[in-house]
Amino acid sequence: MSTLALLVLLLLAVVVLLLAAGVAYVVHRHPSWAQPLGAAFAAVMVMATLVGLILAL
């Protein structure tokens, strides 16, 4: 892999961690949002898995 690709992957990892922290904070402050945010997070994870699978092939 090129250096640029590794840097992009690192940036994506940092962004995902920040988004996860933001979701955790929102769910902590507003517990009623836990189920909709959980469903949205599950959908994003499915899409990320599919993208990873496509890129691996």
Side-chain angles (χ1 to χ4, degrees):
M1 280 188 131
S2 69
T3 304
L4 180 60
L6 290 174
L7 286 174
V8 168
L9 286 175
L10 178 63
L11 179 62
L12 285 173
V14 169
V15 168
V16 167
L17 286 174
L18 287 173
L19 286 174
V23 168
Y25 175 75
V26 167
V27 169
H28 177 71
R29 298 281 293 166
H30 306 282
S32 63
W33 290 8
Q35 189 173 8
L37 287 175
F41 187 69
V44 168
M45 292 307 295
V46 168
M47 292 302 294
T49 302
L50 291 174
V51 168
L53 180 63
I54 291 169
L55 291 177
L57 298 176

